[in-house]
Amino acid sequence: MPSALQGKVALVTGASSGIGEATARVLAAEGASVAIAARRADRLEALRAELEALGADVHVLPLDVRDETAVHDAVRSTVETLGGLDVLVNSAGVMLLGPVEGADTTDWIRMMDINVMGLMYMTHAALPHLLRSGGTVVQISSIAARVVGRGSAVYNASKFAVNGFSEGLRQEVTERGMRVVVIEPGTVATELREHITHAPSKAAIEERVSKIRQLHSTDIAEAVRYAVTAPSHVTVNEIFIRPTDQA
């Protein structure tokens, strides 16, 4: 039987590690041509070599999603090189935890720019192509869009924004055949925590996650696969995934 995404084109942000990298592998395995976008070009090249060895068509996009012009250029390059756009997976994101009091607000700016504005820039640039193809946008949100935690107020705000934006978009486009999917993982074993600049917050979360069996990036990638390979009349609007051990 042919692969579910044979002849389709997917663009994945945050593809140099974690959920984005795992998702690129899964979509390529389903037959999609894959554009992989992230800031770390060396990692993208390594992933390209891996996927091309398996027979996939791969387009590398060194990209900072905070740059709106670069985002539009990346989408245009994807369409021109791979022939269209059917799936966008917005996986780029950061989690810079810390209390509001005494915060380094440059962390806030970075987090909102990547998690919210970058995601919206990507979605906006891809929208005409996804409407044309009857495509799907997958937003990698977080448990933080549902459960507010002490010391994560701004991260919570960024993920609540992702969910609100995505539901508003869904209402605009669903009757035109485009699907909007939000995936909200709990604790996943990725590099996300490594970038926390507030030392006490980083130590606290590392201690908490050391006591549970974390999700793996492939667990989330499989959820993406499920959502984007559903029949065209079916939209899996929201998937909430927690580790069994996470209270």
Side-chain angles (χ1 to χ4, degrees):
M1 295 179 64
S3 299
L5 298 178
Q6 199 70 46
K8 304 293 186 182
V9 176
L11 194 166
V12 182
T13 71
S16 60
S17 66
I19 293 170
E21 182 180 9
T23 297
R25 289 193 180 100
V26 162
L27 298 183
E30 285 290 350
S33 299
V34 182
I36 49 176
R39 287 176 293 172
R40 294 177 288 188
D42 57 335
R43 293 198 178 190
L44 294 180
E45 290 296 344
L47 181 58
R48 183 221 291 265
E50 173 192 332
L51 298 181
E52 287 184 339
L54 299 174
D57 290 331
V58 182
H59 183 44
V60 168
L61 296 165
L63 176 66
D64 185 337
V65 297
R66 294 174 292 184
D67 184 336
E68 185 177 9
T69 299
V71 162
H72 280 269
D73 289 344
V75 170
R76 182 169 57 251
S77 177
T78 297
V79 172
E80 291 174 353
T81 303
L82 299 179
L85 184 59
D86 304 280
V87 175
L88 169 65
V89 181
N90 280 311
S91 184
V94 292
M95 182 182 68
L96 305 176
L97 303 182
V100 173
E101 183 180 9
D104 178 354
T105 57
T106 61
D107 278 354
W108 297 2
I109 294 167
R110 181 182 173 203
M111 192 153 46
M112 298 302 285
D113 280 351
I114 295 173
N115 294 5
V116 183
M117 296 308 302
L119 177 143
M120 293 197 296
Y121 289 153
M122 287 298 312
T123 304
H124 179 248
L127 193 57
H129 307 286
L130 295 175
L131 284 168
R132 190 175 303 119
S133 65
T136 304
V137 58
V138 180
Q139 319 285 35
I140 304 300
S141 184
S142 171
I143 187 176
R146 289 173 175 248
V147 181
V148 176
R150 181 175 180 174
S152 63
V154 182
Y155 183 61
N156 286 126
S158 75
K159 293 302 183 177
F160 270 71
V162 167
N163 283 29
F165 170 76
S166 300
E167 172 57 16
L169 175 66
R170 184 197 69 79
Q171 294 183 29
E172 290 184 26
V173 302
T174 189
E175 293 176 338
R176 298 167 67 185
M178 180 181 152
R179 304 187 294 190
V180 179
V181 179
V182 176
I183 298 182
E184 300 152 315
T187 302
V188 186
T190 70
E191 297 178 3
L192 200 62
R193 295 185 296 275
E194 295 177 12
H195 306 292
I196 298 171
T197 60
H198 185 258
S201 295
K202 184 175 182 181
I205 193 170
E206 291 290 4
E207 181 183 3
R208 287 200 303 274
V209 303
S210 70
K211 299 174 182 177
I212 67 172
R213 294 169 295 169
Q214 301 176 63
L215 297 170
H216 301 290
S217 297
T218 51
D219 298 324
I220 311 308
E222 288 299 331
V224 176
R225 184 207 304 259
Y226 167 66
V228 302
T229 60
S232 61
H233 69 286
V234 175
T235 303
V236 182
N237 289 132
E238 189 174 20
I239 304 178
F240 185 28
I241 310 173
R242 274 188 284 210
T244 304
D245 300 340
Q246 188 168 358

